[in-house]
Amino acid sequence: MVREKHIKAQGISIVLCGQAGMGIQTVEGILTGMLKLAGYNVFATKEYMSRVRGGNNSTEIRVSSKPVSAYIDRIDILVPLNKGAISHLRDRISADTVIIGEAELLGDEVSGDKLKFVETPFTKIANDLGNKIYSNVVATGTLAGLLGMKLDEVCEYIKRAFSTKAADMISNNVKAAEAGFRLAADVSTKADIKISISPDAGVKDQIIPSGADAIAIGAMAGGCNFVSAYPMTPSTSVLSFMAKHGRDSGIIVEQAEDEISAINMAIGAWYCGARAMVTTSGGGFALMVEGVSLAGMLESPVVISLGQRPAPATGLPTRTEQADIELALYAGHGEFPRIIFAPGTLEQAFYLTARAFNLADKFQMPVFVLSDQYLVDSYYNTAAFDVSKVKVEKYVVKTATDYKRYEITPDGISPRGIPGFGKGLVCVDSDEHDAEGHITEDLGLRTRMVDKRLRKLESAKAEVIEPQLYPNCKYKNLVVCWGSTYPVVKEAIELLGKSDTSLLHYSQIYPLHPQTADYLSKAKRVVIVEGNATAQFAKLIKLHAGFDIEHKILKYSGLQFSVEEVAVALKKILK
Amino acid sequence: MVREKHIKAQGISIVLCGQAGMGIQTVEGILTGMLKLAGYNVFATKEYMSRVRGGNNSTEIRVSSKPVSAYIDRIDILVPLNKGAISHLRDRISADTVIIGEAELLGDEVSGDKLKFVETPFTKIANDLGNKIYSNVVATGTLAGLLGMKLDEVCEYIKRAFSTKAADMISNNVKAAEAGFRLAADVSTKADIKISISPDAGVKDQIIPSGADAIAIGAMAGGCNFVSAYPMTPSTSVLSFMAKHGRDSGIIVEQAEDEISAINMAIGAWYCGARAMVTTSGGGFALMVEGVSLAGMLESPVVISLGQRPAPATGLPTRTEQADIELALYAGHGEFPRIIFAPGTLEQAFYLTARAFNLADKFQMPVFVLSDQYLVDSYYNTAAFDVSKVKVEKYVVKTATDYKRYEITPDGISPRGIPGFGKGLVCVDSDEHDAEGHITEDLGLRTRMVDKRLRKLESAKAEVIEPQLYPNCKYKNLVVCWGSTYPVVKEAIELLGKSDTSLLHYSQIYPLHPQTADYLSKAKRVVIVEGNATAQFAKLIKLHAGFDIEHKILKYSGLQFSVEEVAVALKKILK
Amino acid sequence: MDTNVFDMGEIDIAWCPGCGDYGILNVLKKALAELDIAPEKLVMVSGIGQAAKIPHYLKTNFFNGLHGRALPPATAIKAANPSMTVIAESGDGDMYGEGGNHFIHTIRRNPGITNIVHNNMVYGLTKGQASPTSQLGFKTPVQVAGVTLEPFNPLAVAIALDAGFVARAFIGDADKTKEILKKAITHKGYALVDIFQPCVTFNKVNTWQWFKEHTYYLEDSYDPHDRSAAFKRALETEKLPLGIFYINPNKSAFEDNVGIYQQDNRPLFEREPDVNRLRMLIRKIRAAG
Amino acid sequence: MDTNVFDMGEIDIAWCPGCGDYGILNVLKKALAELDIAPEKLVMVSGIGQAAKIPHYLKTNFFNGLHGRALPPATAIKAANPSMTVIAESGDGDMYGEGGNHFIHTIRRNPGITNIVHNNMVYGLTKGQASPTSQLGFKTPVQVAGVTLEPFNPLAVAIALDAGFVARAFIGDADKTKEILKKAITHKGYALVDIFQPCVTFNKVNTWQWFKEHTYYLEDSYDPHDRSAAFKRALETEKLPLGIFYINPNKSAFEDNVGIYQQDNRPLFEREPDVNRLRMLIRKIRAAG
Ligand SMILES: Cc1ncc(C[n+]2csc(CCOP(=O)(O)OP(=O)(O)O)c2C)c(N)n1
Ligand SMILES: Cc1ncc(C[n+]2csc(CCOP(=O)(O)OP(=O)(O)O)c2C)c(N)n1
Ligand code: SF4
Ligand code: SF4
Ligand SMILES: [Mg+2]
Ligand SMILES: [Mg+2]
């Protein structure tokens, strides 16, 4: 009924749950890979503990006839891999959730008769093939079968996925997948589910990057050729991507001794003509605050990819949150401008990161790409990023002998030279300085230099990205959100089905778009959805648009919002 | 006329100007010391360059029949010690300014006939006594004479000031002072000035601390027994005071290898039962941002004495500014409460610093004492700080065996135990944790812990210090200021002489006093005076009181506001 | 004292099966018990990392602070109450990478703390990047072409800084490690114990076997009081010596140098400001005359 | 090349008369001129302090960054354009105190930069507090009872870290200092030159005279290729040796290790992303199958 309809509309949600190191990632990787290749729309997101082995982690995979890109609570099929998995997900399991797995592994957790449990002998089949490690591929086969894939497609994919392994490994894995595939019919009958999701012609040409991939590729497209960083979850995946693909593309990727070094290296690199980025998370960024101020004073470009996670301090290292807006906004002693992007989709992550490099170079200021664990770790199929749409805009000038780095100009932007390019000398100074970059104690000049630096913000305002309005520009209720929550809130609004309700999503949060007050005051009711406890973006809007948002939906448990909970919360407010 | 009246009302302003290392400080120290001792009201403030020798520095000394505590532009008597001094102060020299000095040293700067220059052979007299180093004391004598001091008082003071020196040094200095004193009559005649300032009976019992002294003594009175810091102008003077007087008072004072170490030491010290403070300035504080977040998560008290100076980056190391509110307010990733004081007077500096320790201990959060170079380096006579009014309130509990460091309580405050006191164990953790202080990934508990920490802000709000209203609680115009500008704005309002205009000074800027909107909306016109470029406190008020202040008087040249410039700016707005 | 006073009972330990960290935990508990150090008189200070989780797994006071920042709070804790035994314990990345500046200057400061470093030559918690002690050529997801930075030699650096006690152990030998730890804990002043600890998940080069084959003990006749000799031994790379490399018994501890415990040995928390002294001090300010 | 290409003309220098910094400035200009390094091909990188003002006093490109943070930008500058000569120069507090972690790890990283440290054993700019190299007992407004921290021995630490070039000079001897500097600048990879520089205002102990009396040169026969021997000499304290303590000629520089200049020696600023490669990369993501 309703549920069937919803599955039809929004596809099916599969959740894998087990300990770290148990192979969830294998199942997830193969399953999403073959589905995508076969032309299904796929979305995957994970939640995991800060440990290398053990604990309880889970991955949600949505498969759908139409594009999906948001986390939902609903679990249609659950594959628990160990004891503890079912209690871990208790709140999300409904009477309709089909649980497939092995009672022996799961213990008394599956004995409750409210659960729709179907025994699937993954391990036995694997052992029959000679090794229990095949059990993950057996499970993958079962899921593929349930989803209506073709057996030969499955086998073909498995062959390719294990192509670097020994011949018997390949054939055993194929056999495992086949055996699993054959279990599907039985599960279907026993659990009384029929899934009919059709491939989507467009998907094959699409790509399926994670948020981290999108940011990293965006950086490369933006001409990034220097990355200095210190590992920190959830930013490490961007760093690793750059490291893996950097060398061959002429990119220097260096793991610094600490975050202070990382940002000071990045600023030094820009000074010498590189296009540099740091990747970090809240705690690491906290150590870069003095460096941000240095960029402000030197008028150095710098791109800061900041992946948020719950804080204060170490907080919840592998979880998600949106609580570092204010830190990014006010980081650094003294007053100087900056730009903050907060992509909500993979496409935005790609284009905005690329844009960050151009704007940093143009306005000579720090530009942030504010992501979070949820965005960084999630992936789904999306149109291939169009590199030809991104132009690497370089604003470096060849210097003449009388070059002055800090020439005072009407828009505050001084032509930026670099050492070794032209006849001039390039002198930059963290003290207050004169046009030549030399220390000054001329207090009138000081005032003019502050004004000059702040004027650049006005220039940056002219290029602010418009917030995205969805679906209608006529609305009674307006739901505001920013960053990674975009797809979730969008789907929640679709689920809600109120034609008088629109969504306004900000992918650039600072400078704030000048029409913000217009958008907001047109609505009768405005609601903000934020992944933090103090409604930081609402405060920014109050400050810069003078609009006080009354209704707030806030979450700070460490988990991303689900479509359902946003819908429920909205329903309550908009009733 | 007007000027005479003003001098009568507000005393005389003497300015000494010369290179670093020339002895301005000697003259200043002796002169203010003897004046204070003789019962005159004295105020002194300096502006100086970031260098050890050379450059142009100046000190203003105001002497008055009634208390004075603000910087004024007006110079009644100028003592230039080198070439460059007069051009350095050009804008402040009027036709009435009496300049005393030696044409030979000053070069053509004094040749302009618009200047009221009186030749005073300080060096010649000094040389006659055998060494030109006495010239500073000669000048001191002249100034003492001009101010109407008694010769024997002067000689007596000089004797005591040099009492640790060799006998001939003492007697030569006394002779120098005498000779200088005798010059005064001549100057008086030639320059046609007559100064009649009378001693004030109350002054003798008063003390004459600088802002730095007041903060340091406040810390000691508040029970501070651990200081960890890294030197940075203008915070070093607080550190040096604590170092000088610490050991004998049982205080540990340690120069850390960097600011990161300093704040982590301070937090460790509180953990083990000490009452610890760090002293720093904007750039150093920027490095403590991660540590502030640690204090937020550990729920550790920590007192941060933050002396502001112009930024970004190194900025103007020895100058003043009020541009680090936002940094203090938003420092640290994640969300947790804090308290920010911003003393405007020496008395406030003393009492609020002491109070900072009690509140930090009570609410287990970072407490800031936000000062600046101007406050820290200025001094004037003020009533002796009453130590008996300060109670060291300790909130440490003796632990029982079942002690839980992070017990969730209605007001968010968990009884704070320390290791080694009681039978319990004290476990603190920078990860999200359970009541016992152990790492948790229970996301429901996470939410409750965030709520618990944020609840403490509500408790802190109950103890917010009221802003000071002066002179009337009936007003049409209200001038808002915070921190060090209090005496300046106060005197400017007196100078303005508009009975419909009052001043509202905040010595606690966060949490913002709940009646702020009431105060502000009662006025027809509200003006804010701030030493920064973006009106940071006005933004805080907009955010937390919902009141948008229209008129702003801002300064960010590196110099403090003068009474006159605030008066002029106010006049323009309030016309 | 019985080792079980430090037992936490049934808890979930976040380390991987087979990790060297378990051994260090056991040995530490034993060393403490044999030294009769009561849980209430001990404070464990750590940073962030797999190793840095250790305080959660034994029953005592602890301060689990920021990544790289264990030494400053450990120093302050000892100075605020010298009667406590203070152990600062973390991983190689934490202590030598992020915390490198504190490592240097804490050695110079010489507080009476024991600094235990789990040296697995890798960043465990963040999944396998190079640490300062990673060997040349070690490949990781970030060091894709292998490490090119000279590995950090903690012993050589500590000896260069004249640390009072410098030792290296390998947790493959629990007994000897325990003996070294006991000596370190009883040493007055700062003591460094760098412990080789195989990370079975992310370091497939420096395994249990590798450490076994690449280590040996300093001879019994070795005299740890000669700094230059100690340095020379610390430079050996073919086989890595284990044991106590260097002892300088002539250093006074930071908590003795702060100058406030000579007359009055009460910890800071028992003290109140001396109000009369303060009154006098207030009177004296700028009262040169 | 004529030294005067580096001259700034009539400028106001913020150093005290008699300060050792002047000598270092002169010697540096001479060394550069003799090495024919053009101002446009040189970048001076400094932190904050009296010494760190030096780039303002000679005509060249400079990056005057944050206190303690000269080495990371210097490393990046060299890596972004290896054809530049890069000198990172600051005071002892800047390099060994606030910047200590970068000091250690830059040595490990081994970029082709020259690291000149003005060692006056004091914090000059902030008016006389102890620096890491201040001697035991040195009294200051903060170290009121005298320094108790073991003085930092930059040479011993650099040798412990296997720095490729480690030298000490005393600016009282301009000629020899110049020769050392020239060798340091031409050394491939990281080179440390710690220069004794009297602070006549705030260090009344380690004066020109004191340095003269407490230094001597390493013998001509001294071989700087033996690390342990170099360490031993670096520990001498009665008289402090001057000269080149240690050279390791077998190290490859960071800019060579980053792996992007082997095929293509253009500096980063001349490069554009390879759009075709990027297109392929985009296609390949998660396309395991
Ligand atoms: C400021 C900061 N930067 C980075 C991190 C991420 N981080 C946590 S632990 C760790 C490294 C752990 O390595 P190590 O200290 O060797 O400990 P191990 O896990 O190997 O025991 C890193 C980089 C952090 N928590 N904080
Ligand atoms: C983050 C930070 N902390 C502190 C300071 C203040 N500061 C500037 S220079 C300096 C020390 C200078 O000593 P040194 O490096 O030895 O140079 P010198 O003046 O002796 O040449 C300090 C502490 C600063 N500018 N920034
Ligand atoms: S990741 Fe390595 S160091 Fe961490 S617990 Fe696992 S094996 Fe041990
Ligand atoms: S303070 Fe010392 S180091 Fe600085 S310029 Fe003066 S003498 Fe030189
Ligand atoms: Mg490790
Ligand atoms: Mg110095």
Side-chain angles (χ1 to χ4, degrees), chain A residues 52, chain C residues 14-16 19-21 50 120 124-125 197-202:
Chain A
V52 175
Chain C
W15 292 327
C16 312
C19 175
D21 284 337
Q50 293 287 71
N120 55 10
L125 185 62
Q197 164 253 320
C199 167
V200 297
T201 304
F202 294 113

Side-chain angles (χ1 to χ4, degrees), chain A residues 290, chain B residues 230-233 259 283-285 287 309 314, chain D residues 21 48-52 66-67 69 90-95 98 118 120 122-126 129 131 197 199:
Chain A
E290 194 197 16
Chain B
Y230 188 79
M232 186 163 191
T233 314
E259 288 84 353
F285 177 67
L287 289 164
R309 73 186 214 191
T314 311
Chain D
D21 285 337
I48 296 296
Q50 293 286 71
L66 295 170
H67 181 54
R69 316 298 170 191
S90 276
D92 45 357
D94 187 284
M95 286 288 179
E98 184 82 71
H118 298 213
N120 55 10
V122 75
Y123 282 10
L125 185 63
T126 48
Q129 302 81 20
S131 89
Q197 164 253 320
C199 168

Side-chain angles (χ1 to χ4, degrees), chain B residues 36 53 57 64 78 97 206 242-244 255 265 294 312 336 365 384 387 403 411 423 456:
Chain B
K36 152 72 178 58
R53 290 279 177 271
N57 299 346
S64 175
L78 172 62
T97 304
Q206 295 193 327
M242 297 299 287
K244 187 166 173 197
Q255 178 176 318
M265 277 189 191
L294 177 66
F336 55 91
M365 56 175 75
V387 182
Y403 176 71
D411 61 3
K423 294 216 178 71
K456 295 191 297 179

